Amino acid sequence: MTTSPSHPFRGVFPAITTPFNADGSVDHGFLREHARWMMAAGCDGMIPLGSLGETNTLEHDEKMAVLETLVDALDGKPVIPGIASLSTAGGVRLAQAARDVGCGGLMALPPYVYTSDWREMKAHMAALVAATELPVILYNNPGAYRTDFLAPQIAELAGEHANLRGVKESSGDVRRVTALRAILPESVDILVGLDDAIVEGVAAGATGWIAGLINAYPAESVRLFELARDGRAMEAAELYRWFLPLLRLDVVNKFVQLIKFVQEETGHGSARVRAPRLELTDAEKAEARAVIEAASGRVPVGVGA
């Protein structure tokens, strides 16, 4: 465990998937079991209701039920939900409701659909950060949300809001980590948001990882982060070479379907998704299955299933 009160966002945080029953409802029994399984592998908290959690397909009451289940399951370890909404007011309401059910932090996303200039995006993010006293991660993913928060802009926001304590950097450019580390206060942690950039991101100064394939491979993910963090370059490189074909499933358009399919194939979940997403085609499943089977035949020594 690497989190502390002064650095609540250091370590490994699964972007946990949302499991669904055959009738499309949320499978809370599996959600609880799955979260505890990943925490037992050495994770430092849980991030539900993100992109991987299909938050845009969940109604407000479903989101709150997910948070209540996870807060109870983690028994004091931080639950850090994604806060995303079409409107600023909706995001503020969700942030406050998350606080009220016991979440330990928040991950603030830019608004769905609408994108604009820094003045408007800053106002939106500032409202989410100021909605509660909880520590907040700013989520920068220009590829997905069409809003790109640059290092000076994030530093401006952090200078005005002491509870902005983390940045999830998902631009795909590890130079952003270097730029952020050079300009942000030491109290603000930088977390890698793309699975196939974790070793490079840590080398550039990141101190956390919000991970996707961890939903199927928690022990391997935690081990990789620890090796990179501790400067054990040769061991990290060996594990990374094995893991990269799987980690690259996190950075394509159907990453939600693919990661859930990997969970199902490895016995750690279901491939069910909610529309507008559809489950993978047979050809896509065959391609993903080949990646899984190749990896399963050469698991590095020292990491478990």
Side-chain angles (χ1 to χ4, degrees), residues 207-233:
T207 53
W209 183 13
I210 298 178
L213 266 295
I214 195 169
N215 282 276
Y217 299 95
E220 295 86 345
S221 299
V222 170
R223 180 65 171 161
L224 179 60
F225 176 80
E226 291 174 344
L227 291 172
R229 178 199 64 195
D230 297 344
R232 297 167 66 176

Side-chain angles (χ1 to χ4, degrees), residues 129-290:
V129 175
T132 77
E133 71 287 353
L134 295 175
V136 178
I137 300 168
L138 181 148
Y139 185 11
N140 185 45
N141 188 337
Y145 298 109
R146 298 182 297 159
T147 298
D148 193 1
F149 296 110
L150 303 178
Q153 296 170 339
I154 296 172
E156 180 182 329
L157 199 58
E160 297 172 7
H161 298 275
N163 64 322
L164 179 55
R165 303 294 299 281
V167 179
K168 179 183 178 182
E169 175 45 46
S170 298
S171 70
D173 183 353
V174 295
R175 294 173 298 179
R176 295 291 190 93
V177 176
T178 308
L180 287 167
R181 192 65 285 155
I183 198 172
L184 288 176
E186 195 272 339
S187 60
V188 180
D189 291 314
I190 303 167
L191 301 97
V192 175
L194 299 179
D195 277 6
D196 67 344
I198 181 57
V199 172
E200 300 90 330
V202 170
T207 53
W209 183 13
I210 298 178
L213 266 295
I214 195 169
N215 282 276
Y217 299 95
E220 295 86 345
S221 299
V222 170
R223 180 65 171 161
L224 179 60
F225 176 80
E226 291 174 344
L227 291 172
R229 178 199 64 195
D230 297 344
R232 297 167 66 176
M234 291 184 65
E235 293 167 274
E238 178 187 4
L239 181 53
Y240 205 26
R241 278 193 298 271
W242 168 80
F243 213 170
L244 266 173
L246 290 158
L247 296 177
R248 289 179 180 132
L249 300 176
D250 178 62
V251 295
V252 296
N253 189 50
K254 292 187 179 181
F255 72 104
V256 174
Q257 295 94 317
L258 285 164
I259 290 174
K260 281 191 156 183
F261 177 72
V262 176
Q263 285 183 250
E264 184 169 280
E265 288 291 295
T266 56
H268 300 298
S270 164
R272 295 187 190 102
V273 291
R274 272 191 179 174
R277 292 179 180 89
L278 301 176
E279 291 190 31
L280 300 173
T281 66
D282 288 345
E284 289 168 332
K285 289 178 181 180
E287 187 175 348
R289 192 175 288 117

